């Protein structure tokens, strides 16, 4: 530790801390745009300027290291004036269309301008005039709103190891762009959306599909059903007056009914179906010399990553479709038949924590029902906006239940939303199916938690199954490289593209942090503990689906409707 003085307060701080970290540690808020606690600091935005006695000029506190005896002043006239000037320069060439901007009231630049007390912009800047990059179904990039903080670059490279973005050009013409100024659809983008989640402004946002969904809801000829992903129920409240980690499942269902959806169903139902298929697929591969390790395939950012970067390993991916897509195909076949509705009148909407799910739903092969299986995918943030637009007082809603039968699910399905959850759900079912015995303890704690890569050995009957669980694509790369070199002996691997799994998805409320992800994850396991049924194979609605319509897992109908292939 070293002793320093910040604004007259003497403090002891770790000797490798930066001035910004030391200040935040004692509650002194220094504004910044480029700094993000989960990524290495760059000191590029220059908003976090402070005075360090003895240093030449003002310094960027996010990259300035503390030292013994240092005296820091964060609130002098010079500091405030310098910060104001930096922010005004940013605003001078910013579009300033705040009132109609997707990030209005959630924009870090807007907040900093307000916090710095900016009432006029003294500089008349030249405006940028870049075209929108909107040629993909998931993300929209507006470089005119980019403040060149570089956070998207660091998220894409550091967190995901994908490296889509880079700085290009110099001076006023500096941009953040994929190589050769390509659109995202031409780059090696997995559409995980972590760039949108970390962007301080609206330079990268999810493609907004709410207009199409409103139109469907207002079309009396359409029967509009909605499914909600496991991770949405523990995060949606953050945009609607609840604390992070508050479980708002019942309010969410009530709000969706108020919005006019004809049926409100649960992706967790089809997550249970996924376990029936994927669990059976794993048992088949394990007992009949199939390709191992088998790797989960429900996270579409992850699937895009393997297709783009490791096509030689595609045979390791489970062929079982993701719960979103299994739900989509079942709604337009099984449910349509049961409810006697013409599938062409059904509009199937899903609410996902994920931007890549928008791409997944549009894949050519995701139309086994004879129609596009899922018509529109909205992120958690888009649903929150619709609820606000409809004037629904979310926190005052009485909780309501999902509709049957596609709203009936288990605790095993809900934990899909957290890293390790798909593995745990599969192990609960695979163990009981393989041994024919009831598990004494259904909780597999070795695969839980926010460690980036987890490994465990699980004894099932006479067999020892080696499993691994990883999240983020940078961690996935570590595992895939080992598989390529033949250095692993895993049987089963779960990989999710986003930090902490879907709870940290690119479509979740902004901003997220390790603390927020921890709270969301705890809420997911709370849902599991509170569930009446906690194993997928015990879901009565799933049993009925197989008994009356689908036949057996991996059967002919399942093969046609619930399994897919990947593209090298
Ligand atoms: Fe997920 Fe999944 S868990 S991928 O993270 O398998 O998005 O929540 O819906 O499909 O169930 C996301 C979450 C989600 C699917 C399920």
């Amino acid at each position: 530790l070293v002793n320093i003085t910040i604004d007259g307060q003497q403090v002891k701080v770790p000797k490798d801390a930066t001035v910004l970290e030391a200040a935040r540690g004692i509650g002194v808020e220094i504004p910044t745009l480029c700094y993000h606690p989960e990524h290495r600091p760059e000191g590029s935005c220059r908003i976090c300027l402070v005075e360090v006695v003895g240093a030449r000029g003002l310094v960027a506190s996010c990259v300035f290291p503390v030292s013994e005896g240092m005296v820091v002043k964060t609130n002098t006239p010079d500091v405030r004036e310098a910060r104001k000037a930096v922010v005004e320069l940013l605003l001078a060439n910013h579009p300033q269309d705040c009132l109609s901007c997707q990030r209005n009231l959630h924009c870090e630049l807007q907040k900093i301008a307000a916090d710095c007390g900016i009432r006029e912009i003294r500089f008349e800047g030249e405006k940028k005039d870049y075209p929108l990059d909107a040629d993909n179904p998931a993300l929209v990039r507006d470089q005119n709103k980019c403040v060149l903080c570089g956070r998207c670059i660091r998220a894409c490279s550091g967190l995901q190891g994908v490296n889509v973005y880079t700085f290009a050009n110099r001076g006023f013409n500096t941009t953040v762009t994929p190589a050769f100024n390509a659109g995202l659809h031409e780059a090696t983008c997995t559409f995980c959306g972590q760039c949108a989640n970390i962007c301080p402004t609206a330079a990268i946002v999810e493609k907004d599909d709410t207009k199409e969904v409103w139109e469907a809801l207002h079309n009396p000829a359409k029967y509009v059903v909605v499914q909600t992903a496991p991770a949405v129920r523990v995060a949606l409240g953050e945009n609607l007056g609840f604390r992070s980690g508050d479980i708002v499942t019942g309010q969410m269902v009530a709000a969706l009914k108020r919005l006019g959806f004809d049926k409100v169903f649960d992706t967790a139902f089809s997550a249970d179906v996924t376990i029936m298929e994927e669990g059976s697929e794993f048992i088949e591969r394990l007992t009949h010399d199939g390709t191992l390790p088998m790797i989960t395939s429900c996270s579409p950012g992850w699937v895009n990553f393997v297709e783009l970067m490791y096509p030689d390993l595609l045979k390791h991916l489970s062929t079982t479709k993701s719960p979103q897509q299994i739900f989509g195909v079942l709604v337009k076949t099984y449910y349509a038949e049961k409810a006697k509705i013409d599938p062409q009148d059904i509009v199937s909407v899903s609410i996902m924590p994920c931007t890549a799910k928008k791409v997944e739903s549009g894949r050519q092969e995701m139309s086994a029902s004879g129609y596009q299986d899922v018509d529109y995918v909205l992120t958690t943030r888009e649903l929150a906006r619709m609820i606000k637009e409809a004037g629904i007082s979310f926190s005052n809603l009485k909780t309501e239940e999902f509709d049957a039968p596609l709203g009936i699910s288990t605790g095993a399905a809900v934990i899909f939303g957290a890293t390790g959850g798909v593995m745990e759900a599969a192990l609960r079912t695979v163990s009981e199916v393989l041994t024919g015995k009831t598990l004494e303890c259904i909780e597999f704690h070795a695969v839980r938690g926010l460690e980036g890569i987890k490994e465990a050995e699980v004894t099932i009957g006479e067999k020892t199954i080696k499993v691994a669980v990883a999240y983020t694509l940078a961690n996935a790369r570590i595992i895939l490289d080992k598989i390529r070199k033949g250095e692993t002996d895993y049987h089963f691997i779960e990989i999710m593209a986003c930090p902490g799994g879907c709870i940290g998805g690119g479509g979740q409320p902004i901003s997220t942090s390790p603390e927020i992800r921890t709270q969301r994850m705890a809420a997911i396991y709370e849902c599991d503990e509170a569930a009446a049924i906690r194993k997928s194979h015990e879901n009565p609605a799933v049993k009925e689906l197989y008994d009356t319509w689908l036949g057996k897992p991996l059967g002919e109908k399942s093969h046609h409707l619930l399994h897919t292939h990947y593209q090298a």
Side-chain angles (χ1 to χ4, degrees):
L1 297 178
V2 294
N3 299 291
I4 66 169
T5 305
I6 303 177
D7 297 339
Q9 291 189 65
Q10 291 184 351
V11 282
K12 283 188 189 311
V13 296
K15 65 176 184 324
D16 57 354
T18 61
V19 170
L20 183 119
E21 287 163 348
R24 287 193 172 178
I26 57 165
V28 173
E29 201 42 56
I30 297 175
T32 170
L33 281 175
C34 69
Y35 174 81
H36 191 280
E38 294 190 72
H39 297 282
R40 77 187 136 68
E42 287 206 332
S44 58
C45 77
R46 316 308 288 179
I47 296 174
C48 67
L49 294 172
V50 297
E51 184 183 330
V52 170
V53 174
R56 205 188 310 154
L58 301 177
V59 302
S61 61
C62 72
V63 286
F64 204 84
V66 296
S67 59
E68 181 61 35
M70 176 184 273
V71 176
V72 180
K73 297 179 183 179
T74 74
N75 183 23
T76 66
D78 279 356
V79 165
R80 288 203 309 276
E81 179 51 37
R83 284 181 193 160
K84 261 189 185 169
V86 174
V87 176
E88 281 179 66
L89 284 168
L90 281 173
L91 293 173
N93 55 37
H94 193 79
Q96 294 179 38
D97 57 352
C98 302
L99 291 182
S100 57
C101 177
Q102 201 189 100
R103 290 289 296 269
N104 188 25
L105 304 179
H106 298 282
C107 169
E108 291 180 39
L109 178 61
Q110 192 181 45
K111 181 177 183 306
I112 283 174
D115 289 351
C116 288
I118 290 173
R119 294 287 174 269
E120 58 169 341
I121 298 160
R122 290 166 291 176
F123 317 110
E124 206 166 304
E126 193 183 330
K127 300 288 182 202
K128 296 172 181 171
D129 189 21
Y130 296 106
L132 271 191
D133 173 7
D135 288 340
N136 70 78
L139 297 166
V140 176
R141 283 193 321 124
D142 183 350
Q143 293 187 60
N144 303 310
K145 294 184 177 175
C146 178
V147 291
L148 303 175
C149 67
R151 278 163 38 174
C152 56
I153 300 177
R154 282 172 280 161
C156 191
S157 61
L159 198 65
Q160 301 296 47
V162 173
N163 298 304
V164 163
Y165 298 116
T166 184
F167 284 114
N169 308 322
R170 306 200 43 112
F172 181 75
N173 295 323
T174 305
T175 58
V176 171
T177 172
F180 307 113
N181 214 12
L184 282 181
H185 67 295
E186 300 159 307
T188 52
C189 179
T190 65
F191 298 105
C192 73
Q194 289 302 318
C195 55
N197 207 279
I198 205 168
C199 177
T201 69
I204 311 174
V205 295
E206 69 275 14
K207 179 128 187 265
D208 190 317
D209 290 306
T210 56
K211 183 169 167 275
E212 289 75 7
V213 175
W214 281 121
E215 277 168 14
L217 288 169
H218 291 136
N219 182 346
K222 293 294 178 191
Y223 189 84
V224 191
V225 301
V226 64
Q227 56 167 312
T228 63
V232 174
R233 68 205 65 195
V234 297
L236 175 67
E238 290 166 31
N239 276 350
L240 296 163
F242 284 78
R243 288 166 312 177
S244 49
D246 282 347
I247 302 166
V248 296
T249 318
Q251 290 88 345
M252 173 183 73
V253 172
L256 289 164
K257 289 186 177 173
R258 295 275 200 298
L259 286 173
F261 287 97
D262 293 291
K263 288 289 172 200
V264 179
F265 291 137
D266 196 353
T267 315
F269 163 83
S270 46
D272 281 327
V273 180
T274 294
I275 289 299
M276 298 303 291
E277 295 294 328
E278 194 167 276
S280 305
E281 189 186 345
F282 176 63
I283 292 171
E284 177 68 23
R285 290 190 190 211
L286 186 70
T287 54
H288 289 88
D289 277 339
T291 303
L292 292 174
M294 186 178 91
I295 316 182
T296 59
S297 60
C298 48
S299 164
W302 149 243
V303 170
N304 293 339
F305 179 76
V306 189
E307 288 184 330
L308 286 165
M309 316 239 178
Y310 291 82
D312 51 311
L313 299 185
L314 282 170
K315 60 183 181 294
H316 290 274
L317 292 196
S318 162
T319 61
T320 306
K321 285 182 185 170
S322 74
Q324 165 174 278
Q325 295 308 136
I326 287 187
F327 183 94
V329 77
L330 289 178
V331 158
K332 293 196 180 178
T333 54
Y334 172 65
Y335 180 74
E337 260 176 67
K338 223 173 148 70
K340 301 192 174 46
I341 302 167
D342 186 340
Q344 80 179 357
D345 294 333
I346 295 179
V347 176
S348 178
V349 177
S350 67
I351 315 293
M352 292 282 143
C354 173
T355 46
K357 287 279 174 198
K358 288 177 184 270
V359 181
E360 182 186 50
S361 70
R363 287 174 73 113
Q364 220 180 2
E365 64 276 18
M366 295 301 176
S367 52
S369 65
Y371 305 88
Q372 181 164 328
D373 295 330
V374 174
D375 295 292
Y376 302 112
V377 178
L378 303 180
T379 59
T380 312
R381 297 193 289 269
E382 286 168 276
L383 174 60
R385 293 202 294 271
M386 285 184 77
I387 292 170
K388 286 182 187 168
E389 201 177 331
I392 295 168
S393 173
F394 191 75
S395 52
N396 290 323
L397 286 172
K398 282 221 175 77
T399 60
E400 292 185 38
E401 302 273 319
F402 286 111
D403 291 306
L406 273 55
I408 297 171
S409 70
T410 69
V414 177
I415 60 174
F416 264 57
T419 171
V422 183
M423 178 61 72
E424 182 167 345
L427 290 174
R428 290 180 190 177
T429 289
V430 166
S431 298
E432 295 205 350
V433 171
L434 265 181
T435 64
K437 291 190 191 139
T438 305
L439 277 170
E440 274 171 30
C441 174
I442 61 163
E443 296 185 354
F444 291 82
H445 287 272
V447 296
R448 294 187 181 184
L450 279 170
E451 223 178 301
I453 300 179
K454 300 177 283 263
E455 293 177 323
E457 288 191 2
V458 181
T459 308
I460 300 180
E462 314 263 280
K463 289 190 191 311
T464 299
I465 308 286
K466 288 196 169 182
V467 303
V469 171
Y471 64 78
T472 75
L473 299 172
N475 285 329
R477 198 182 271 285
I478 293 171
I479 291 195
L480 291 181
D481 285 341
K482 282 190 187 167
I483 296 175
R484 241 185 203 166
K485 289 186 203 148
E487 289 173 359
T488 71
D489 54 357
Y490 302 127
H491 297 97
F492 194 3
I493 302 172
E494 176 205 295
I495 295 182
M496 290 298 205
C498 294
C502 288
I503 50 165
Q508 291 282 62
I510 295 170
S511 60
T512 50
S513 64
E515 295 72 38
I516 291 173
R517 290 196 286 273
T518 302
Q519 287 155 345
R520 291 176 186 165
M521 178 180 258
I524 285 272
Y525 288 110
E526 223 179 285
C527 292
D528 173 37
E529 275 169 35
I533 305 172
R534 299 177 67 189
K535 298 174 220 166
S536 297
H537 54 289
E538 292 181 353
N539 180 333
V542 170
K543 282 188 195 170
E544 190 188 328
L545 165 74
Y546 279 100
D547 291 347
T548 64
W549 195 78
L550 205 49
K552 58 179 189 347
L554 306 187
E556 205 192 315
K557 219 165 180 175
S558 290
H559 176 75
H560 173 59
L561 297 176
L562 310 186
H563 289 257
T564 188
H565 57 274
Y566 306 101
Q567 289 152 14

